[in-house]
């Protein structure tokens, strides 16, 4: 090994270490003492057949999108939740449930292919099914929530 290559390896190692530190800081979940002020914007794209529920953090100077829930509005997949994403920092603060509740209120029902959902999403669906009426199509693995409190 030449001295030049050792130096470049050390430089690369430092870059990777810095990236790992930065990434782990960005990926950490924060429990807020006071929940951030948020609003939910609904956008329906009739051409694409989807509805987007965007979770917006309200800031003094510039509002920031911190999450989105996408619902299919066409055919057999109508009212199926296609995807949900909350920025990692804001997870486990009830904001995902707010997105689900808003969409559930708007459409009266939401569906998921339960076993295709992430572990975090399954936890939210289980929690929501305690509060709202639900039905299960066991062999299809479909869980439907209805906007009817138990």
């Amino acid at each position: 090994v030449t001295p030049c290559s050792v130096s470049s390896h050390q430089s690369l190692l430092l870059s990777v270490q810095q990236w790992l530190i930065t990434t782990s800081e960005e990926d950490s979940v924060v429990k807020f003492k006071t929940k951030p002020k948020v609003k939910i914007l609904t956008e329906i794209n009739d051409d694409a057949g989807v509805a987007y529920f965007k979770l917006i953090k309200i800031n003094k100077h510039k509002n920031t999108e911190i999450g989105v829930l996408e619902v299919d509005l066409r055919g057999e997949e109508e009212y199926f939740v296609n995807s949900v994403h909350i920025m990692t920092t804001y997870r486990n603060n009830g904001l995902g449930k707010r997105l689900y509740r808003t969409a559930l209120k708007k459409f009266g029902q939401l569906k998921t292919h339960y076993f295709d959902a992430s572990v975090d999403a399954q936890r939210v669906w289980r929690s929501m099914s305690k509060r709202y009426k639900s039905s299960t199509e066991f062999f299809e693995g479909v869980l439907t929530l209805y906007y009817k409190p138990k």
Side-chain angles (χ1 to χ4, degrees), residues 18-113:
Q18 183 60 41
W19 177 81
L20 287 171
I21 290 168
T22 304
T23 302
S24 65
E25 287 172 358
E26 291 172 352
D27 290 346
S28 61
V29 174
V30 176
K31 272 292 193 188
F32 296 96
K33 289 180 183 174
T34 20
K35 304 250 187 234
K37 289 185 179 183
V38 296
K39 63 182 176 181
I40 297 174
L41 301 178
T42 304
E43 293 179 14
I44 296 179
N45 184 330
D46 290 323
D47 295 333
V50 293
Y52 300 98
F53 295 85
K54 296 183 178 186
L55 184 65
I56 309 295
K57 180 181 175 200
I58 300 169
N59 298 314
K60 286 183 180 179
H61 303 290
K62 182 182 177 190
N63 293 342
T64 308
E65 183 177 313
I66 60 171
V68 65
L69 180 142
E70 180 182 321
V71 179
D72 198 322
L73 299 177
R74 291 199 174 163
E76 291 180 18
E77 298 294 308
E78 188 173 35
Y79 305 123
F80 271 90
V81 174
N82 290 336
S83 65
V84 181
H85 179 74
I86 306 289
M87 287 175 62
T88 307
T89 305
Y90 298 96
R91 293 180 186 173
N92 298 323
N93 285 286
L95 299 173
K97 280 187 191 177
R98 283 187 65 180
L99 280 173
Y100 279 101
R101 276 195 302 270
T102 302
L104 189 58
K105 185 176 180 180
K106 172 85 174 162
F107 298 123
Q109 64 178 301
L110 288 177
K111 301 177 183 180
T112 185
H113 292 286

Side-chain angles (χ1 to χ4, degrees), residues 53 79 97-111 125 128-135 143-150:
F53 295 85
Y79 305 123
K97 280 187 191 177
R98 283 187 65 180
L99 280 173
Y100 279 101
R101 276 195 302 270
T102 302
L104 189 58
K105 185 176 180 180
K106 172 85 174 162
F107 298 123
Q109 64 178 301
L110 288 177
K111 301 177 183 180
W125 282 89
M128 297 284 287
S129 69
K130 292 175 187 174
R131 184 172 179 182
Y132 297 100
K133 291 190 179 190
S134 61
S135 68
L143 172 64
T144 304
L145 290 176
Y146 301 97
Y147 190 66
K148 294 178 184 172
K150 286 187 172 180

